[in-house]
Amino acid sequence: MKQKILELLSASEIFISGEKLAELCGISRTAVWKHINSLKEEGYNIETQPRTGYKLISRPDALVKTEILDGLQTKVFGKEFLYTFFEIDSTNLKAKQLANEGKPEGTVVVAESQTKGKGRLGRKWVSPSGKGVWVSFILRPPILPVKATQLTFVIAVAMVHSLKNIGISDVQIKWPNDILIHRRKVAGILTELSAEIDCVNYVIVGIGINVNQDTFEFPEEFKDKATSLKEACGHKVSRIKVLQSVLKEVEHFYYLYLENGFGEIINLWRENSVTLGKEVEVISGTEKITGLAIDIDEEGCLLVKDREGKVNKIVAGDVSLRGKKGNYV
Ligand code: ADP
């Protein structure tokens, strides 16, 4: 009902009376008043005049539930189970806990900030308050566990489309899990699997997107490798719009993958990859391989052809692309 009141207030440029809102929503005026107060508590600035009613002045710049749901174009993702936090250790950890409790596919966890945001291999993902979209969701795909790695690629393709949708160009994917703009990392994807030998219990997908940081706000150690959507387009970007776009595209490409398989996704991934066709250096465990990144295979492994012509199959590793000066960056 709160959602409906917000919709009515958003659509009106003049004051709407409590009586009218009550009539349109089929509730009492006291109930309207309670919902209005709850919206105010969430950060909505609503002007109230005793005889004329209510008018929406501004919306909160916060990832609150009401705001996320207002205009969210998904069927399942975030619609029924959407958890928002002001601060959390890690959205992936919370989503994992919820998945273990039996929450369904499409459950979404979002936080304003993470104190223990995670990257691959236990690395840290820096997630400052109010600056980005730090989100995880639960998937329960009916696939074999060996295929779960494909989901990182599904999500990467969805990420490219979601950022393009909101007008950000030059978005590319770096194998396996980074989203880049002008060769700098704007987002990362972390996929975690819980499975039996022959079936997936659940997959948690975490996405961290830098939205409104300025370059000077990034930590020294990766300042020259990171970027934000604000940096890319020269103005502040609505985190709500980013999140809504991401949820919509993730849902779309995930169901497309379940219906049509990995083939279509691979092709889209190839089209948007910054890695393929480049000279790369891969550190995989204690091994270092240099060569030409020629393709990815059905499991999402990177195929690197070295000088001897041997094609190396990289399951996991850190990839650097060869820069103009011949060095790897
Ligand atoms: P990699 O980029 O090596 O694949 P991950 O995807 O796991 O690693 O991301 C973690 C790494 O990304 C960290 O070690 C750090 O260098 C960098 N990083 C951490 N937080 C951010 C961020 N908010 N934006 C861009 N890069 C980040």
Side-chain angles (χ1 to χ4, degrees), residues 119-120 123-126 134 177-178 185 210 213 218 222 226 318:
R120 282 187 309 151
R123 290 172 189 151
K124 191 174 172 198
W125 185 263
V126 176
W134 327 120
N177 68 330
D178 292 340
K185 183 150 63 166
N210 300 325
Q213 292 99 322
F218 289 114
F222 58 80
D318 289 315

Side-chain angles (χ1 to χ4, degrees), residues 1 8 69 72 79 85 104 267 271 279 293 302 321:
M1 197 50 68
L8 291 166
L69 291 172
L72 180 63
K79 276 283 159 84
F85 295 89
N267 286 337
E271 275 172 32
E279 288 289 331
L302 185 67
L321 306 177

